[in-house]
Amino acid sequence: YDKPLMDGPSVWGYLTTTLGAQNYTTATEIVLDAEIYDTNSNFSLVTGRFTPTLAGIYLAIAQGNLSGWTQAADDNTAIEIRKNGSAATGSVVYGRFHQDAALTTAGEAVAFSIFSMNGSTDYLSMWIQVSTDTSVTLSVGSGITHLLVSRIG
C-alpha cells in the first residue's frame, strides 16, 4: 500500500543498508535510510526521525526482522517507537520479538501506537534493543524493517 491514511504529514521509511552483525544490548536508534513516501518532507534520511510540521494525532507502526538471534525464555528483545528519543512511560511503545518457528535464529516484531505531536519539535523514531545475543543482523527492505507514520487527527 503506497498511500498515507489521511492528508497531512505521513511517511513510510525503511532500512536498505544491512547493518551487519551488531550489538544492540543497549537501546539503539535505527536510521532508516530510504522512503516510499514522505508527503511533507518531514522525514530525515540522515537521522531516521519523523518530525511533523503539523500538530495533531499520529498513528505510528514499526516492524523489524532479526537474524542471528536466539530467543531466551526471559527475552526482552524489542522494536520500539520513541517520541523525542525518550523511554519514559507515555513516550515509548514496545513490540517484542518472537522467534519464527521454522527459523531457529530469526524473529520479527511489530510495535504500534498513537502519539500526540506538537508540530514543531516532537519527533518519532525507531529503536531496537536485544537482550540476549550480542551479534545480530537487522534485516532490510520496505516490508521488512520499516516505520510508517500518518496523521489521523
Side-chain angles (χ1 to χ4, degrees):
Y1 185 68
D2 61 357
K3 302 285 188 235
L5 295 174
M6 287 184 64
D7 289 337
S10 297
V11 69
W12 182 347
Y14 63 98
L15 188 65
T16 64
T17 303
T18 300
L19 300 178
Q22 300 283 322
N23 181 343
Y24 297 114
T25 54
T26 300
T28 303
E29 191 170 22
I30 302 300
V31 178
L32 302 171
D33 58 353
E35 57 194 26
I36 292 178
Y37 60 78
D38 180 5
T39 63
N40 206 35
S41 300
N42 292 152
F43 186 71
S44 169
L45 297 175
V46 175
T47 64
R49 296 176 178 177
F50 175 71
T51 310
T53 53
L54 181 62
I57 305 300
Y58 288 79
L59 172 65
I61 304 166
Q63 178 180 344
N65 288 57
L66 285 178
S67 61
W69 170 72
T70 304
Q71 186 173 14
D74 60 348
D75 204 326
N76 289 320
T77 299
I79 280 292
E80 304 171 2
I81 304 169
R82 291 188 180 190
K83 179 179 175 181
N84 301 327
S86 174
T89 300
S91 294
V92 63
V93 62
Y94 303 93
R96 299 283 183 223
F97 276 91
H98 296 281
Q99 198 159 29
D100 186 315
L103 303 171
T104 59
T105 61
E108 67 179 4
V110 176
F112 56 93
S113 191
I114 295 173
F115 295 89
S116 176
M117 306 295 285
N118 66 15
S120 59
T121 58
D122 285 343
Y123 68 88
L124 296 174
S125 59
M126 184 173 166
W127 292 64
I128 185 172
Q129 184 161 7
V130 178
S131 65
T132 55
D133 295 310
T134 58
S135 183
V136 298
T137 300
L138 195 57
S139 303
V140 300
S142 62
I144 298 174
T145 298
H146 59 262
L147 175 68
L148 293 95
V149 184
S150 191
R151 185 172 184 270
I152 59 172

